[in-house]
């Protein structure tokens, strides 16, 4: 379909008269492709001859179920992409986001699919992994994901973490946990102690499902879980430089965890705690601040951001 | 010893001169390197392949983001939700330019001057135009030529299990 006469195509304020996209270099086009989910990237290979191989060399896999008609078609796409694409690129970053509705797909099917995908990703030895399981909430993460020697960055959102038999993430430097539910405190401590090189930790709205277990078992503090973990407590969080907490409500288990982390991470350079609802904070703040002062050259930022309230800063 | 620089002058390919604050200029890695190199004393920086029209837009972006950074720093180093959202809204309005001329010129200017935020913003804008569209729709938007033969088209679409429409 040759365009001898420039096509005038109006779409709102867009009037295209010439093909500017093709003037861009391959590198620039690839950078643009890196902003698209993988299914859109593959669709571009049908645009023209130049575009067939353009996506090769993209080290990113980005799966988002919100543009798929059904969970089955999404699962199928992810499976074939994971089998096919790594033949051409070394995958460095993988983002898997289930944000749409799950259309009532049975949990068994989802669990087995998730297990397969995680195993495949482990095989690929990606550097950075981002998982958002909003569509499949209630499914707990297979523990294989916590045993990956090459993973450097792990971001989890809307996932459940059940009892972990072992955690071994020797290369992990960055860990972001957003709306993650841990079955018990033990899981969280185990996860953190399995990352000996961790430099950045971000927590946002995490929860401990069995919060009362400590009380019922007569466990006085989180130190108990540290002693019983596989890794020596002397190396626990010693490399952590940046610690941020968002959506901090100052509730019992949250506060316990934050204090525990700050107590052990003596090399912290930046601590940021943000509350988005008004909290009764003065005593809690004083305790946290005194912990922060034990770190050399550490910047401590505590903010309460509530609409209609002016931001105030302490320390 | 030269006195501290507060402003620099950039000259567009059309020969027009514009003053930029140092803070705004630092948004560009290229300009930043020139500014932090003591062996260079800057009077005027020519940007040969950026026209006046585009340069004005680029300077506007740099100044806005420099101002935002300064405000955030003064406020304690963390942007609130509303501050970040406001900047995002500003960016979205800023990128409402006509796709043919300005968008790609801005993209290339940001690439040349190494202004990461603007470059990524422009790339994201192009990506958003591609997202969720069929190849036929994408070709229409960007006026791309389809150089496949009918046989190739047939074979490829069967392989990809979707149609060109």
């Amino acid at each position: 379909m040759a365009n001898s006469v420039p096509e005038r195509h109006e779409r709102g304020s867009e009037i295209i008269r010439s093909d500017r996209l093709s003037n861009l270099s391959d590198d620039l086009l690839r950078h643009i492709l890196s902003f698209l989910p993988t299914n859109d990237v593959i669709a571009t290979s049908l645009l023209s001859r130049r575009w067939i191989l353009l996506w090769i060399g993209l080290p990113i896999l980005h799966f988002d179920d919100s543009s798929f008609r059904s969970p089955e078609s999404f699962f199928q796409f992810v499976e074939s992409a994971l089998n096919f694409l790594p033949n051409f690129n070394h995958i460095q970053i993988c983002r898997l986001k289930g944000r749409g509705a799950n259309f009532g797909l049975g949990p068994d099917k989802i669990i087995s699919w998730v297990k397969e995908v995680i195993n495949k990703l482990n095989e690929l030895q990606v550097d950075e992994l981002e998982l958002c399981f909003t569509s499949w909430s209630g499914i707990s993460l297979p523990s294989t994901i916590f045993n990956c020697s090459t993973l450097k960055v792990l971001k989890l959102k809307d996932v459940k973490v059940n009892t972990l038999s072992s955690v071994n993430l020797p290369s992990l430097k960055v860990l972001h946990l957003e709306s993650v539910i841990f079955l018990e405190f033990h899981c969280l401590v185990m996860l953190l102690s399995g990352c000996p090189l961790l430099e950045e930790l971000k927590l946002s709205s995490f929860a401990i499902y069995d919060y009362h277990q400590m009380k019922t078992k007569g466990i006085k503090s989180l130190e108990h879980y540290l002693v019983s973990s596989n890794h020596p407590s002397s190396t626990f969080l010693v490399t952590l430089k940046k610690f941020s907490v968002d959506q901090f409500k100052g509730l019992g288990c949250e506060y316990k965890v934050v204090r525990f982390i700050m107590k052990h991470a003596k090399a912290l350079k930046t601590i940021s705690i943000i509350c988005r609802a008004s909290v009764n904070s003065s005593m809690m703040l004083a305790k946290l601040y005194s912990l922060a002062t034990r770190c050399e050259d550490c910047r401590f930022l505590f903010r309460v951001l509530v609409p209609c309230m002016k931001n105030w800063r302490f320390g | 010893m030269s006195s501290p620089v507060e402003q620099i002058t950039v000259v567009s390919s059309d020969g027009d001169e514009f003053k930029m604050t140092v803070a705004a200029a630092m948004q560009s890695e290229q300009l930043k390197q020139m500014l932090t190199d003591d062996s260079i004393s800057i009077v005027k920086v020519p940007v040969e392949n950026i026209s006046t029209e585009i340069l004005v837009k680029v300077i506007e972006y740099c100044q806005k983001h420099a101002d935002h950074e300064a405000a955030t720093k003064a406020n304690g180093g963390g942007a609130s939700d509303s501050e970040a959202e406001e900047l995002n809204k500003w960016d979205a309005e800023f990128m409402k330019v006509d796709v043919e001329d300005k968008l790609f010129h801005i993209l290339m200017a940001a690439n040349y001057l190494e202004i990461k935020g603007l470059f990524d913003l422009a790339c994201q804008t192009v990506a958003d135009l591609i997202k969720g569209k069929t190849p036929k729709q994408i070709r229409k938007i960007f006026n791309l030529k389809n150089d496949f033969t009918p046989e190739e088209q047939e074979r490829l679409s069967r392989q990809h299990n979707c149609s060109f429409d």
Side-chain angles (χ1 to χ4, degrees):
Chain A
M1 243 180 10
N3 293 314
S4 48
V5 175
E7 230 178 80
R8 238 188 105 101
H9 174 80
E10 274 186 52
R11 196 172 151 272
S13 59
E14 296 145 26
I15 302 170
I16 317 299
R17 277 182 222 95
S18 55
D19 173 12
R20 296 249 180 231
L21 196 57
S22 299
N23 286 344
L24 301 180
S25 67
D26 281 0
D27 277 340
L28 279 187
L29 288 178
R30 277 201 196 95
H31 190 73
I32 291 170
L33 288 179
S34 70
F35 288 88
L36 287 167
T38 303
N39 53 302
D40 284 306
V41 170
I42 292 181
T44 64
S45 63
L46 297 170
L47 285 175
S48 75
R49 287 197 179 147
R50 182 188 179 188
W51 287 80
I52 290 180
L53 298 177
L54 213 52
W55 57 266
I56 291 182
L58 269 186
I60 301 174
L61 282 180
H62 181 175
F63 302 112
D64 193 327
D65 73 346
S66 40
S67 56
F68 283 79
R69 266 180 248 112
S70 71
E72 285 94 355
S73 61
F74 178 63
F75 289 177
Q76 224 174 19
F77 177 75
V78 173
E79 264 177 53
S80 37
L82 283 177
N83 284 322
F84 177 64
L85 294 178
N87 294 329
F88 299 94
N89 316 319
H90 168 61
I91 305 299
Q92 285 169 11
I93 302 173
C94 180
R95 297 187 190 112
L96 177 59
K97 296 189 181 166
R99 296 184 300 178
N102 69 358
F103 294 103
L105 204 63
D108 291 337
K109 214 170 180 184
I110 302 175
I111 292 173
S112 64
W113 177 78
V114 166
K115 270 205 174 121
E116 257 185 67
V117 170
I118 301 289
N119 283 340
K120 186 71 195 188
L121 288 173
N122 261 2
E123 270 174 52
L124 291 176
Q125 306 209 304
V126 295
D127 289 341
E128 185 175 324
L129 184 57
E130 190 179 331
L131 302 176
C132 170
F133 278 15
T134 315
S135 302
W136 318 302
S137 57
I139 304 296
S140 49
L141 275 182
S143 56
T144 41
I145 197 182
F146 299 116
N147 287 281
C148 178
S149 55
T150 50
L151 204 55
K152 296 197 180 80
V153 176
L154 180 59
K155 296 181 185 171
L156 302 174
K157 182 176 172 179
D158 285 333
V159 301
K160 260 176 74 173
V161 179
N162 277 354
T163 324
L164 301 168
S165 48
S166 75
V167 173
N168 191 25
L169 296 165
S171 309
L172 199 73
K173 294 220 163 127
V174 176
L175 181 61
H176 288 193
L177 303 170
E178 189 180 338
S179 300
V180 175
I181 302 177
F182 293 91
L183 182 63
E184 35 179 11
F185 284 108
H186 178 64
C187 306
L188 175 53
V189 176
M190 241 203 124
L191 174 55
L192 293 177
S193 59
C195 315
L197 293 184
L198 196 66
E199 289 178 11
E200 180 183 321
L201 175 63
K202 183 171 173 188
L203 300 175
S204 175
S205 291
F206 68 92
I208 311 288
Y209 186 73
D210 194 0
Y211 168 54
H212 296 289
Q213 201 193 51
M214 276 180 80
K215 229 181 192 164
T216 45
K217 283 191 175 171
I219 297 170
K220 288 276 185 322
S221 82
L222 292 171
E223 303 292 338
H224 168 89
Y225 295 111
L226 196 52
V227 166
S228 60
S229 79
N230 293 341
H231 302 261
S233 57
S234 55
T235 56
F236 185 62
L237 297 181
V238 291
T239 50
L240 196 66
K241 295 198 180 69
K242 188 172 171 189
F243 179 43
S244 53
V245 184
D246 203 340
Q247 309 273 0
F248 185 62
K249 296 176 196 70
L251 300 172
C253 83
E254 230 187 349
Y255 177 54
K256 240 188 177 70
V257 168
V258 170
R259 247 185 50 197
F260 177 65
I261 290 170
M262 282 176 70
K263 191 176 143 206
H264 282 271
K266 300 218 177 68
L268 279 172
K269 293 286 172 227
T270 315
I271 306 172
S272 159
I273 301 181
I274 299 179
C275 310
R276 299 204 187 255
S278 46
V279 291
N280 190 358
S281 52
S282 37
M283 196 171 85
M284 173 173 59
L285 179 53
K287 283 199 176 141
L288 291 175
Y289 183 67
S290 77
L291 278 173
T293 53
R294 290 153 97 219
C295 306
E296 231 181 273
D297 288 332
C298 180
R299 209 163 143 259
F300 180 67
L301 178 69
F302 184 99
R303 297 179 95 198
V304 181
L305 301 174
V306 178
C308 316
M309 223 176 105
K310 268 205 149 164
N311 300 336
W312 51 271
R313 185 196 152 212
F314 181 90
Chain B
M1 281 269 266
S2 56
S3 56
V5 179
E6 281 163 8
Q7 277 191 327
I8 68 165
T9 304
V10 283
V11 188
S12 75
S13 58
D14 302 316
D16 296 315
E17 295 181 6
F18 298 93
K19 284 203 163 57
M20 272 180 97
T21 62
V22 167
M26 299 282 264
Q27 296 285 315
S28 151
E29 269 306 309
Q30 268 235 348
L31 297 177
K32 182 176 173 183
Q33 277 186 24
M34 283 191 223
L35 284 167
T36 50
D37 187 342
D38 287 332
S39 64
I40 301 175
S41 78
I42 300 178
V43 180
K44 287 181 192 170
V45 184
V47 281
E48 280 162 10
N49 37 15
I50 304 179
S51 69
T52 295
E53 201 186 6
I54 301 301
L55 189 55
V56 163
K57 281 289 266 183
V58 168
I59 293 175
E60 192 190 337
Y61 176 92
C62 291
Q63 192 59 60
K64 175 72 180 178
H65 279 250
D67 291 343
H68 176 82
E69 265 177 34
T72 305
K73 238 182 185 167
N75 208 11
S80 72
D81 272 352
S82 55
E83 285 161 11
E85 207 188 303
E86 201 203 301
L87 189 66
N88 286 340
K89 273 193 188 147
W90 187 92
D91 281 349
E93 272 305 309
F94 178 83
M95 287 314 287
K96 281 187 182 160
V97 294
D98 80 84
V99 178
E100 180 190 355
D101 264 339
K102 284 206 167 121
L103 177 55
F104 289 101
H105 284 307
I106 290 175
L107 193 153
M108 291 192 283
N111 185 35
Y112 176 73
L113 288 173
E114 293 176 73
I115 307 168
K116 186 172 190 326
L118 182 57
F119 180 55
D120 284 348
L121 182 62
C123 288
Q124 178 75 68
T125 308
V126 177
D128 288 342
L129 288 168
I130 296 176
K131 191 170 177 178
K133 306 262 183 359
T134 64
K136 189 176 182 183
Q137 289 170 325
I138 298 170
R139 270 191 237 109
K140 215 172 181 194
I141 293 173
F142 294 101
N143 206 28
L144 291 179
K145 194 170 162 186
N146 180 359
D147 55 4
F148 292 122
T149 66
E151 296 81 29
E152 283 169 338
Q153 228 169 270
E154 171 69 40
R155 181 167 48 90
L156 281 166
S157 82
R158 256 188 291 116
Q159 273 180 4
H160 283 257
N161 200 30
C162 73
S163 73
F164 273 82
D165 291 322

